[in-house]
């Protein structure tokens, strides 16, 4: 992932919300790894596109990124705090004991800081800062989590085991994408001198599913059908991420035809859910018996057609 989500979507900072939506929809249709099986970088680009859209589609996170408060992953940028920030703070030991002001030597300041830590630090509370008026937020802690496809699509509540043996409950939002990072406020390292704790940043690795694939907010599935269902039409059961539904196969359907189930895709936040796209695949019976073979020969004699005629005409152009 690059440091510029606008560049990942082919946009600039002046892009409107509608520009961001259109760019994302166009890219997910053309950049899915399944469309570029021989390109080793396709998956990484697709993850970058999804992560960039997640950051920029929300006006609040976009504004914070533009202001430099968070980076392209959504992680907080650390405040750049200097000794001068504490010069006038009540109880500042260096103001009281050494008389430092804005013109003081920072090397002297930090030398004294280290000397104070070396002398009886344990008596001064966490990190030796507790009773000297110094407070600072705790560090953010980063974790990774492997996530089943359906938990990412539908949302779920799960628990991860921390390196130290503790447990952390994580609410997976609907529509979570591979590589997305969740921020759990106040679940990071404890603060210094009574400061607030940091956050936990949990990056998701979404496992592929044997049946479902994802294209943006749409779910893709290949549905096997029989010869007679393709010829005569039929109502057949189809799995979706929310359960089984009935799908009407039109008479005369061919392999490769795509039918759409509206609203059966992934929902993210308050947005409208995507669709499920069903690609038909005609499957031959496990055994072609004599009656079927005889029927097809008879039918062929009076109904022959060439489905490849147009193909060779196009080649000759």
């Amino acid at each position: 992932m690059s440091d510029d989500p606008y560049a990942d979507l082919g946009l600039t900072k002046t892009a409107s919300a509608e520009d961001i939506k259109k760019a994302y929809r166009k890219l997910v249709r053309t950049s899915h790894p399944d469309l570029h099986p021989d390109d080793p970088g396709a998956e990484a680009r697709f993850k970058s596109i999804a992560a960039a859209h997640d950051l920029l589609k929300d006006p609040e996170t976009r504004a914070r990124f533009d202001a430099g408060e968070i980076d392209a992953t959504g992680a907080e940028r650390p405040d750049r705090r200097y000794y001068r920030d504490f010069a006038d703070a009540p109880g500042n030991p260096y103001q009281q004991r050494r008389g430092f002001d804005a013109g003081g030597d920072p090397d002297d300041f930090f030398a004294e800081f280290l000397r104070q830590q070396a002398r009886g630090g344990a008596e001064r509370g966490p990190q030796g800062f507790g009773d000297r008026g110094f407070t600072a937020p705790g560090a953010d802690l980063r974790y990774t989590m492997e996530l089943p496809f359906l938990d990412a699509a539908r949302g779920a509540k799960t628990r991860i085991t921390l390196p130290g043996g503790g447990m952390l409950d994580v609410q997976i939002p609907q529509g979570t994408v591979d590589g997305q990072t969740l921020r759990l406020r106040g679940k990071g390292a404890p603060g210094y001198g009574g400061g607030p704790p940091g956050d936990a940043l949990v990056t998701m690795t979404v496992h592929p599913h044997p049946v479902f694939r994802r294209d943006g907010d749409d779910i893709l599935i290949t549905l096997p059908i029989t010869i007679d269902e393709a010829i005569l039409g039929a109502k057949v059961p189809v799995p979706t991420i929310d359960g089984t539904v009935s799908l009407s196969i039109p008479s005369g359907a061919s392999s490769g035809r795509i039918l759409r189930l509206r609203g059966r895709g992934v929902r993210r936040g308050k947005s409208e859910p995507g669709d499920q796209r069903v690609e038909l695949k005609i499957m031959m019976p496990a055994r072609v018996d004599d009656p079927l073979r005889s029927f097809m020969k008879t039918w062929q004699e009076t109904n022959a057609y060439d489905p490849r005629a147009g193909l060779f005409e196009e080649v000759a152009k």
Side-chain angles (χ1 to χ4, degrees):
M1 180 176 177
S2 74
D3 294 331
D4 186 354
Y6 291 100
D8 288 335
L9 297 178
L11 301 171
T12 66
K13 284 190 174 183
T14 60
S16 66
E18 186 63 24
D19 293 335
I20 292 170
K21 182 188 297 185
K22 288 180 178 178
Y24 172 69
R25 288 181 174 176
K26 179 180 179 181
L27 287 170
V28 296
R29 286 196 299 268
T30 59
S31 302
H32 195 278
D34 290 347
L35 302 177
H36 307 278
D38 299 325
D39 184 352
E43 184 173 356
R45 288 196 301 274
F46 188 74
K47 289 181 181 179
S48 294
I49 291 166
H53 178 251
D54 286 340
L55 183 82
L56 298 179
K57 72 175 183 178
D58 186 325
E60 181 180 350
T61 56
R62 180 183 179 183
R64 295 191 68 203
F65 173 79
D66 291 345
E69 297 177 6
I70 58 175
D71 62 20
T73 68
E76 300 282 346
R77 295 186 185 274
D79 291 338
R80 299 183 63 187
R81 305 182 75 184
Y82 302 95
Y83 77 96
R84 295 182 183 88
D85 296 338
F86 305 102
D88 297 325
N92 179 2
Y94 309 108
Q95 182 186 55
Q96 295 170 1
R97 300 187 183 187
R98 297 294 301 272
F100 286 126
D101 57 22
D105 186 346
D107 289 338
D108 291 343
F109 174 84
F110 287 110
E112 174 65 12
F113 179 83
L114 295 174
R115 282 194 293 270
Q116 293 293 337
Q117 275 202 286
R119 292 200 300 267
E123 300 175 0
R124 296 194 295 269
Q127 304 300 322
F129 300 141
D131 65 354
R132 297 189 175 272
F134 181 92
T135 63
D140 291 344
L141 300 181
R142 292 184 175 272
Y143 305 98
T144 58
M145 172 185 285
E146 295 187 351
L147 197 61
F149 182 94
L150 290 177
D151 283 355
R154 298 187 299 211
K157 187 173 184 178
T158 187
R159 177 174 291 182
I160 60 176
T161 302
L162 305 181
M167 307 296 290
L168 183 63
D169 290 327
V170 181
Q171 180 66 52
I172 309 300
Q174 284 182 311
T176 295
V177 298
D178 187 45
Q180 181 175 338
T181 298
L182 305 182
R183 179 178 293 275
L184 305 180
R185 301 286 181 183
K187 298 298 184 179
Y192 305 105
D199 299 334
L201 304 175
V202 185
T203 299
M204 304 294 166
T205 298
V206 180
H207 289 178
H209 194 276
V211 174
F212 300 114
R213 306 184 303 280
R214 186 168 170 181
D215 181 9
D217 290 342
D218 285 355
I219 293 293
L220 283 60
I221 183 175
T222 299
L223 181 69
I225 61 173
T226 64
I227 296 175
D228 53 292
E229 288 170 341
I231 293 174
L232 302 175
K235 279 187 173 290
V236 299
V238 179
T240 74
I241 62 173
D242 294 315
T244 302
V245 300
S246 181
L247 176 68
S248 294
I249 308 297
S251 174
S254 298
S255 281
R257 181 168 180 176
I258 295 177
L259 305 179
R260 188 178 294 269
L261 292 170
R262 300 286 180 184
R264 290 290 180 174
V266 175
R267 181 190 295 274
R268 285 196 278 182
K270 297 181 180 179
S271 64
E272 290 296 317
D275 302 330
Q276 177 163 309
R277 306 202 302 266
V278 182
E279 180 181 3
L280 303 181
K281 182 179 181 181
I282 300 173
M283 301 293 292
M284 293 292 293
R287 184 177 69 88
V288 178
D289 57 17
D290 290 339
L292 177 59
R293 185 177 290 106
S294 176
F295 168 78
M296 292 308 302
K297 284 183 177 179
T298 301
W299 184 90
Q300 185 181 46
E301 290 173 359
T302 57
N303 297 276
Y305 69 103
D306 185 359
R308 295 172 293 279
L311 174 67
F312 290 99
E313 291 176 3
E314 291 296 322
V315 171
K317 289 183 180 179

